[in-house]
Amino acid sequence: SEFVGGYDDWLRQRSEDTVMPASIKSKNPMQTEVKEKSQKKKLSYKDQRDLDELPTKIEQLETEVESLHAKMADADFFLQDKDEIVKVQDLLKETEQTLATCYRRWEELEV
């Protein structure tokens, strides 16, 4: 008979056949898993729009974080006034938090 997957899958399926009698084995776990994935909830208009805009927003935030890191890596950066240094560091922290929030939102919407 044919088995779907690789050698490890064949071993797993073979061991299930030998361990469980056919009368107990009523459902194929692969079919159940496929059904659960196919019954993904439909996103609302707002959520779908959010999902479409998130990659662009994430890219912009990543670019901003990179530019702030480059600015801070400059040798003359720490020769500035202390208030200016703290302002840039706070902006970097805020941008990184916003980026993390966007990633979490993207994960929520993808599921």
Side-chain angles (χ1 to χ4, degrees):
S1 66
E2 292 185 25
F3 289 94
V4 177
Y7 181 72
D8 293 330
D9 296 323
W10 175 76
L11 286 176
R12 184 179 42 80
Q13 291 175 3
R14 188 174 138 228
S15 65
E16 286 177 0
D17 288 341
T18 59
V19 172
M20 288 195 282
S23 61
I24 296 174
K25 189 177 166 186
S26 61
K27 288 188 176 179
N28 185 354
M30 300 296 269
Q31 288 178 347
T32 307
E33 189 176 313
V34 170
K35 286 180 184 178
E36 289 174 3
K37 286 182 181 180
S38 67
Q39 294 176 352
K40 191 164 92 171
K41 70 175 186 168
K42 185 175 179 184
L43 296 176
S44 68
Y45 175 75
K46 181 182 176 220
D47 289 341
Q48 183 62 46
R49 189 169 172 166
D50 238 6
L51 181 62
D52 294 340
E53 292 173 355
L54 274 172
T56 306
K57 186 175 181 180
I58 288 173
E59 186 176 340
Q60 290 171 348
L61 289 170
E62 286 177 341
T63 303
E64 187 175 344
V65 166
E66 283 180 27
S67 68
L68 289 172
H69 278 289
K71 186 176 183 179
M72 289 177 68
D74 187 29
D76 297 332
F77 177 75
F78 289 101
L79 299 175
Q80 298 181 51
D81 184 34
K82 180 182 176 184
D83 294 333
E84 191 66 31
I85 294 170
V86 170
K87 191 167 122 178
V88 172
Q89 288 175 335
D90 289 342
L91 179 61
L92 176 63
K93 186 176 181 180
E94 181 182 317
T95 305
E96 287 175 338
Q97 288 174 347
T98 305
L99 183 61
T101 304
C102 286
Y103 275 127
R104 278 193 300 274
R105 179 72 175 145
W106 194 17
E107 254 183 56
E108 290 172 5
L109 294 175
E110 281 290 317
V111 173

